[in-house]
Each structure stands twice: as C-alpha cells, then as structure tokens.
Amino acid sequence: MPADDKTRRVFCIGTADTKLDELRFLADAVRSNLAAFSSSSSSKVEVTVVDVSVGRNDSGSGSAHNVTDFAFVSRNGVLRSDSEAADQLPEDRGEAVDVMSKALGVFLTKSQNDGVLAGAIGVGGSGGTALISPALRSLPIGVPKVIVSTVASGRTDHYVGTSDLVLFPSIVDVCGINSVSRVVLSNAAAAFGGMVIGRVERGESGGEGGKSTVGLTMFGVTTSCVNAVKERLEKEGYETLVFHATGVGGRAMESLVKEGFIKGVLDITTTEVADYVVGGVMACDASRFDATLEKGIPLVLSVGALDMVNFGAKDTIPSNFQKRKIHEHNKQVSLMRTTVDESKKFASFIADKLNKSSSKVVVCLPQKGVSALDAPGMSFYDPEATAILINELKSLIQTNEDRQVKVYPHHINDPEFANALVDSFLEISKKSHLQSTPQVASPEPSQQVHESSVAQINFSSYETNPRSLSDFPGAKPETLQRTWAILQQLRDQINKGIPIIGAGAGTGISAKFEEAGGVDLIVLYNSGRFRMAGRGSLAGLLPFADANAVVLDMANEVLPVVKKVPVLAGVCGTDPFRRMDFFLRQVESIGFFGVQNFPTVGLFDGNFRQNLEETGMGYRLEVEMIEKAHKMGLLTTPYAFNEDEAVEMAKGGADIIVAHMGLTTAGSIGAKTAVSLEESVVRVQNIADAAHRINPNAIVLCHGGPISSPKEAEFVLKNTKGVHGFYGASSMERLPVEQAITSTMQQYKSISFH
C-alpha cells in the first residue's frame, strides 16, 4: 500500500499463516456488502487484508501471493509501522504476540490520523482476539470495529474495555469455511459494511453538532432525579450521556472524560464508592473522580445511593454481613444498608479527592434521603446515617471560591433537588467557558494512599486490567479475569493500610479456620502435610514422597472446605517427571487459583546447591514454572531468597514475591539456626527493592526465619518500605496447634476431682 495513498480503507485483520481462508472469505464478503450498501461513487471504500501472524516462519510473501485480489499488508509491513519494533519477531510466542499487537495499534492509529481508516474487522480465536482487540480498542469511539471471535460470549470486558468494540460470536472454531462459518462471517461482514457506509455517507461524527456533552451517573433508586436533570439539561441545549453506576459505568464515563468526549459531569450517583470501601460487587477503584478532576471540567457531585452496598444473590453475601439490613432487589441482586461508620469513610474518600483539586466543583447534598429506599416507610430509611454522611462531607471538604458545598432540605428524587443540581452546573459551566463541540472522531481526514507501614508504594493509579491479553497467550479469559480481580482487591486493601496475610495449610481444618480468621491467600504444599504430621518442614525437600502428587491429593481435602479465599498450589518446578505445562493445566482444572514454587532449591546452599544448578535442577526451573503459570493467567506468588532471585521472578511475571528468610525458628520442630530479626529487615528490604526495580507494582510479603508471630511480622513491616504483608506456614498452623493443644491439655490435667 503506497505511503501517499489516501483512499479510504477498511482493514480485515487476522493471522494469515493459520486463518488465510477465513480472511479471504471475510474480505470478499465485506467488499460485496460495501458495494451493495453504497449509494454513490463518493462512498467508495477499499478492502485491505492485514496479516498479524506470529509464527516462526514469515508468512508475508507467501500469503501475499494468495491474496492477489486485495491490497495486502504483510506482517513485516505492520512491524515497520512501529519504530520501536525489531525487524524480526521474538522467538517466544508470548513476546511475539505482544510486539505484534503493539505494532498493529501503531499501524491503525497512523491510518486513522492520515484519514485513511474507515473501519477495522478482525477474525480469530482466543489468541487472535487477544492480539487484535487492544489495537481496535485504542481507536476513537465511532470508528467501526468488529472481531469475529470464539470468545465473544461470557466475560468479555477485558477484550472490550470501555470502547465500542463489537465482538461477533463465531459459534464454531475459526478453522476453515463451512456451512456455519460461512453464515457467521457473511452476517458479520454485512453488519460491518453497514456501519462503515452509514458513517461515511453520513459524513459526520454521529453527535449532535453544537451541543456540549454532559455525563450523568444513575442507579435505579436515583432514576427520578437523573431523568429530571437529563430533561432540563437537554432543554438547555446539552447532550447527555447516562452511565449506570455499576463500577464499569463509572470507569466508562471517566474514560470518555479523558478522551475529551464529555465536557461536564453531574456525578449524582456515587454508590460505587460504597462498594469500594465496604467490599461490594459494583465497586469503583481508588482512582474514582481522578479523571474528571484532572481534566478540570465542571463537576457537580452528590451522594446518590450511598446508603447501599451491592451484592449478588442473597446467599452470596459474606457471612459477616448476613445480620445486616438486607433488601432483596431481585433474585440476583441484594442490597445492604450502610452504617454510620461506613458513611464517615465514604465522606473521607470523597473529601480527600476534592480537596486536592483546583477545578470547579459543587457538592449538592439532599438532607431528606439519598435514594428511593432512604425515605420514610422504606427499608433503608435511616436519618442518622444520612445526617452523618451529610455533616461529615460539610466538615471535611475545604470550601473556597471554586469548591462549594450546598445542602438542601429535599430528598434526592425531589424535583426541587434536580433543579438545584442543574442550576449549580449551569453556574460553574459559565465560569469555566464550557466549550461547545464534543471531540468525536471524524471519518474525514483532518492518590491518595493511606499512611501506614504497610502501604509505602502507591497503587492507587494501578488499573484493574493493567496489561494486554496478549501478555497471556495461554490464559483462559475467566482465569485471567479472576486473577486480575484478586490482585485489584489486594491492592485496594494495601491502599487502605491493611496488610496482606497468606497462610500455608496442611489440613482441611487448618484451611477452614484460616479462612474464618480472615486470611487473604491459602497455599497448599507437601511440607504442610509433613509439618502437621509432626515432622519438620524440611521433610518436604527430601525423597519421602512425590511432592506434586501430594499437593493434588491435598486438594481433595482442602478445596471443598474453603469457600471464598483463593487457594494456591505449591508446585515443584524442578520435578523431572512432569511436563510442567500439562501439570499446570491440571492444577488449574482442579480448582487452584495460582501457584508457588515449593519445594524449592532456594532452601539449599553450599556445594549441594551449586551442583543442582550445574546439573540443570536449579532455581531457573522454578522461574520457568512461574513464567508458564503467569502466561496461563494464574496468580503467581513465588519465594525469593535473595535480590537476584527476586529480579528473576519479577521478570518472569510474578504477581506477589515472598521474601523468604529460611525455616521458621520457633516451636518444637522449628529450626534453631537463622538470621536475626534485624538482619531479616535488611534482607527483606533488599529483596523488595530488587523486585520493584523490575515491577514497581509487585506486591511483596515477608516469610520465615525469625518472623514467627504477629509481633515479629509487625516489626518487619514497620521497618521496611514497599513490603505489604506476611506469609506464614508453620507460624499459621503448626505453632498455633502446638500451643493450643499443649495449653488445653495442661488445663485438663490441672482439674481437681477431690
């Protein structure tokens, strides 16, 4: 395709080395539909096939010979678009997918900026979708973007994000042209062709020219208010976009704020904050409000639905909330009334955000209720909790000329309150010289971290899904989404100043009551079984049993009794009798959420350790196991015994690095030789610093040696930076059992019966 060619084009994208027949069929169907839908020669759009193959053999020239009736961009042509990409793809498939995905994004962005791009449609399985979707996601809203995909059902948010990308279910695998794929690809091509021609012939962005776009947040219980605000704003000449405040809704609105689509916000329904603080299922993240405040656009904020936290079906509500006031919205959604103490926390979160902003903000507070359920005679009516919320915000928000707080003697759904919201918005909009044209792409050329010894690294800007799916070529979408959710929950906990606590479990009852005590992660490995049988933990490193087989057997005992806490498998990465990729799939299918490297050669030193490294049975195999598990989307929490190992594990994609100080020293079968607690602080800090040089967002925990009780763990956490919690094994089950049984027996023996 000549560099100076400005013909409008649609790009049919796929891996020509494996999907050439499907690409040719799709391209032909798209071309036919473009011709059929076009009403004038000025609407002519050409079809170009784009190859994004990542196989070892360069398919570029060979595929080009087979696509003679279409313009063709080889994979090398795509790579050349990205000045940072090498001429040749890396040999590692995962790395190759990442490079190609990035290059495709650059290629499409350049085409968009040159006024060439009229739309893009891709085809692929899970790998192809993971490669193509980030590039399509990066295109402006309004540019037609479709992928015919095998993973177009179920959890697709990590492919689509907050974009207008359309996933079209392939029904059958993308593997040849047959009676089903022919129909599916034809329908997809027709839908895509209609999008393209409709947009080209319309010759406009699709927005209402001259109208400023305003974002509104709504929930069912604030619908009356938002509808009234929407109606009046439209009479005033504004275009309104309403977002359902479900966590995703808030992120979608703030994404459009960042892109410049939205020029003002009435954040009426801030219920996502309640779910974030308390732990509901429709939570925002720590960055809520940041985009709006940083953009400096007018913001009117209220407290809609902050009287409730959202959960799924009633039986999914956490046990510690079961006795709270619950409203069953329907069989799939349960609402829990928030308390006075929780209301104070919501006010603190909001005030902290607003007080750091210099943009124009008005906070409007309704004294008589914040939702349809917070009204006389309704199930969540609690004047005290609502009053505390209002008063705390009044007290905490530092008012000035640009930051105002207004309190009204109305319910949030009263018409008078809706008018007050709009009046406030119009007032600050005039002061801000609100611009009148939304920045929609045209088809024509043209933190706060809470202070705590645990939270020394700011994770508040870390997004839920920080990396592309192309980084995880072997991952099932549901596994990857689950891991991302766990990590986001842990990072949110860190930002609240709460340490992450992991625990080893050698028996079902250990795991059951670790969960009851509030543990964040549970790990099963063979030493747990030896330990709880009265043998030292080192028995797990000796030839007494098949370590990986023991873990699979332990799963039958532990997994059924752990209801919610993620359970990980201790995997012996040096096992010469396991094909590790297959074994990790087995671990995943059984129900483990992730892995840890145990048994580990890190506990060996001297000549024996050196000989293990020299004979191909060293720590590098454990790193490779973690790398494979990471690419499968599993949660990875490896042990590292020094700085070099921390660096290796961080480069391998470790999510959580556990700084191991050696065998736990306390108790009847604990080690007697170990580093001092003070020396542990130095070593843990060095390991944390090494890990964070590679991955600043890595979570680091401490473990072992003299760190054998909450007192020692607290000492380490208070004397280190960037260390976020403690992982215990012997200290979590062996020592408590030793102490409890000994004490109980002594009490029984002290009974007098005379």
Side-chain angles (χ1 to χ4, degrees):
M1 195 171 69
D4 59 349
D5 185 357
K6 297 298 182 181
T7 303
R8 282 177 295 189
R9 295 180 179 276
V10 295
F11 297 108
C12 292
I13 306 165
T15 52
D17 58 347
T18 60
K19 304 285 187 286
L20 181 59
D21 289 344
E22 296 87 337
L23 268 175
R24 292 183 62 187
F25 184 92
L26 180 63
D28 189 59
V30 168
R31 182 166 59 186
S32 297
N33 281 286
L34 290 174
F37 293 148
S38 178
S39 60
S40 67
S41 58
S42 62
S43 303
K44 184 177 180 182
V45 178
E46 297 290 342
V47 177
T48 297
V49 174
V50 178
D51 178 23
V52 290
S53 301
V54 293
R56 295 291 297 275
N57 296 321
D58 183 359
S59 62
S61 59
S63 297
H65 291 312
N66 293 317
V67 194
T68 54
D69 44 351
F70 294 100
F72 181 82
V73 179
S74 70
R75 76 176 192 182
N76 287 337
V78 175
L79 290 171
R80 283 193 293 270
S81 299
D82 184 3
S83 60
E84 297 180 4
D87 292 336
Q88 296 296 322
L89 287 169
E91 290 190 5
D92 180 85
R93 180 174 174 80
E95 294 179 10
V97 168
D98 191 31
V99 169
M100 181 59 78
S101 181
K102 180 175 178 292
L104 177 62
V106 173
F107 172 81
L108 293 178
T109 298
K110 286 181 177 178
S111 299
Q112 166 67 21
N113 293 340
D114 290 343
V116 171
L117 180 67
I121 183 169
V123 60
S126 59
T129 306
L131 189 159
I132 298 168
S133 59
L136 268 58
R137 244 189 352 252
S138 68
L139 295 173
I141 287 178
V143 175
K145 52 187 81 73
V146 176
I147 302 177
V148 182
S149 171
T150 60
V151 291
S153 60
R155 295 296 300 270
T156 60
D157 50 332
H158 42 285
Y159 297 114
V160 177
T162 55
S163 74
D164 60 343
L165 170 62
V166 177
L167 293 184
F168 206 98
S170 66
I171 309 300
V172 295
D173 200 359
V174 182
C175 187
I177 302 302
N178 52 57
S179 58
V180 174
S181 63
R182 184 176 292 108
V183 171
V184 170
L185 291 172
S186 296
N187 285 344
F192 177 68
M195 294 180 201
V196 172
I197 294 300
R199 185 167 180 271
V200 168
E201 294 193 348
R202 192 168 58 241
E204 59 185 35
S205 65
E208 296 183 48
K211 290 191 176 184
S212 296
T213 303
V214 178
L216 312 176
T217 51
M218 185 175 79
F219 226 37
V221 291
T222 60
T223 298
S224 297
C225 174
V226 176
N227 281 345
V229 168
K230 179 177 183 292
E231 182 178 350
R232 185 173 164 202
L233 282 173
E234 289 172 352
K235 288 180 180 178
E236 296 283 349
Y238 292 93
E239 178 187 38
T240 58
L241 304 178
V242 179
F243 299 86
H244 205 50
T246 57
V248 175
R251 286 195 292 275
M253 180 181 74
E254 291 179 338
S255 175
L256 293 180
V257 168
K258 288 179 184 177
E259 294 179 20
F261 281 82
I262 293 177
K263 297 300 183 180
V265 170
L266 284 93
D267 211 341
I268 299 167
T269 311
T270 47
T271 186
E272 295 168 335
V273 172
D275 280 43
Y276 170 71
V277 171
V278 179
V281 298
M282 296 186 180
C284 61
D285 57 27
S287 67
R288 186 70 165 91
F289 309 121
D290 288 353
T292 305
L293 295 173
E294 290 169 3
K295 200 73 173 179
I297 62 176
L299 169 64
V300 172
L301 185 145
S302 192
V303 288
L306 276 177
D307 58 332
M308 60 187 64
V309 178
N310 296 269
F311 294 103
K314 199 168 183 179
D315 60 3
T316 67
I317 298 174
S319 58
N320 55 317
F321 293 143
Q322 287 289 348
K323 294 184 179 180
R324 294 273 293 272
K325 185 179 291 185
I326 305 295
H327 175 82
E328 195 169 4
H329 183 63
N330 55 48
K331 292 298 182 183
Q332 285 74 45
V333 178
S334 302
L335 311 174
M336 179 180 76
R337 195 10 165 141
T338 53
T339 66
V340 166
D341 287 341
E342 289 164 352
S343 296
K344 292 179 180 179
K345 293 177 182 177
F346 307 155
S348 176
F349 180 92
I350 293 170
D352 287 342
K353 294 284 187 174
L354 300 186
N355 288 339
K356 295 178 180 178
S357 168
S358 59
S359 58
K360 295 189 181 298
V361 180
V362 178
V363 179
C364 297
L365 304 173
Q367 287 183 311
K368 294 187 177 179
V370 299
S371 83
L373 295 180
D374 182 23
M378 302 303 290
S379 56
F380 281 2
Y381 186 54
D382 187 343
E384 180 187 6
T386 300
I388 289 292
L389 176 64
I390 303 297
N391 292 334
E392 283 288 307
L393 283 166
K394 284 174 56 183
S395 172
L396 293 174
I397 295 174
Q398 301 163 10
T399 58
N400 55 35
E401 183 180 352
D402 293 327
R403 188 185 309 123
Q404 305 172 46
V405 177
K406 300 179 180 180
V407 181
Y408 298 92
H410 306 304
H411 186 274
I412 195 168
N413 286 326
D414 287 344
E416 296 87 350
F417 187 71
N419 279 324
L421 290 169
V422 178
D423 289 342
S424 294
F425 180 76
L426 294 176
E427 179 184 351
I428 59 174
S429 295
K430 291 174 183 176
K431 292 180 181 178
S432 300
H433 304 290
L434 191 64
Q435 297 181 6
S436 61
T437 305
Q439 301 297 309
V440 181
S442 169
E444 299 299 324
S446 41
Q447 93 203 212
Q448 175 180 3
V449 175
H450 297 262
E451 292 182 359
S452 164
S453 60
V454 178
Q456 300 290 345
I457 288 183
N458 186 351
F459 286 113
S460 62
S461 63
Y462 193 93
E463 297 182 3
T464 304
N465 295 345
R467 301 184 68 186
S468 164
L469 277 169
S470 61
D471 291 316
F472 307 91
K476 295 178 180 178
E478 59 271 23
T479 299
L480 191 56
Q481 187 67 21
R482 183 181 65 190
T483 296
W484 279 343
I486 293 168
L487 289 171
Q488 186 62 43
Q489 183 177 359
L490 296 179
R491 290 186 174 101
D492 290 344
Q493 187 170 307
I494 290 167
N495 286 338
K496 296 175 185 177
I498 303 171
I500 306 303
I501 303 298
T507 66
I509 197 165
S510 297
K512 184 173 184 178
F513 287 96
E514 287 168 351
E515 180 175 43
V519 75
D520 298 301
L521 301 167
I522 294 173
V523 185
L524 307 187
Y525 51 70
N526 66 331
S527 277
R529 175 164 287 182
F530 288 117
R531 185 167 52 236
M532 297 310 288
R535 277 73 175 178
S537 294
L538 277 181
L541 280 72
L542 296 173
F544 300 151
D546 180 341
N548 286 328
V550 169
V551 167
L552 298 184
D553 185 56
M554 291 172 71
N556 298 323
E557 178 180 346
V558 174
L559 294 184
V561 300
V562 178
K563 303 304 180 185
K564 296 180 181 178
V565 173
V567 180
L568 291 79
V571 174
C572 180
T574 56
D575 187 341
F577 299 103
R578 294 291 195 293
R579 289 187 60 181
M580 198 47 62
D581 46 356
F582 287 95
F583 182 68
L584 290 173
R585 285 292 179 205
Q586 186 179 6
V587 165
E588 179 186 28
S589 67
I590 286 173
F592 285 106
F593 284 54
V595 298
Q596 187 171 65
N597 58 323
F598 196 92
T600 172
V601 301
L603 285 168
F604 294 124
D605 56 17
N607 288 337
F608 184 54
R609 171 65 181 275
Q610 185 62 32
N611 291 159
L612 288 173
E613 300 293 342
E614 292 168 351
T615 55
M617 293 183 282
Y619 190 81
R620 182 61 206 170
L621 290 177
E622 298 176 24
V623 175
E624 291 174 2
M625 182 273 290
I626 292 295
E627 289 175 341
K628 290 178 179 179
H630 172 71
K631 290 178 180 179
M632 289 172 55
L634 293 167
L635 184 67
T636 51
T637 68
Y639 286 128
F641 296 80
N642 55 49
E643 295 170 63
D644 291 340
E645 291 173 358
V647 167
E648 282 193 76
M649 285 299 186
K651 287 181 177 179
D655 301 304
I656 301 171
I657 291 179
V658 184
H660 200 309
M661 296 296 104
L663 291 183
T664 302
T665 56
S668 63
I669 55 175
K672 306 303 179 187
T673 304
V675 297
S676 68
L677 189 60
E678 292 72 18
E679 178 62 19
S680 289
V681 168
V682 175
R683 293 192 181 189
V684 169
Q685 186 66 68
N686 289 341
I687 288 173
D689 291 345
H692 291 143
R693 283 195 294 271
I694 304 302
N695 177 12
N697 290 312
I699 295 172
V700 178
L701 309 181
C702 57
H703 168 76
I707 315 170
S708 59
S709 74
K711 180 180 178 181
E712 288 86 16
E714 183 179 22
F715 179 85
V716 173
L717 296 181
K718 283 187 173 181
N719 288 280
T720 54
K721 293 183 178 181
V723 181
H724 311 105
F726 171 69
Y727 167 68
S730 293
S731 58
M732 292 293 186
E733 58 171 357
R734 174 176 63 81
L735 292 176
V737 167
E738 287 184 14
Q739 295 158 4
I741 292 178
T742 300
S743 175
T744 301
M745 186 55 62
Q746 289 170 345
Q747 291 177 49
Y748 274 113
K749 290 297 291 183
S750 67
I751 294 174
S752 174
F753 57 92
H754 292 297

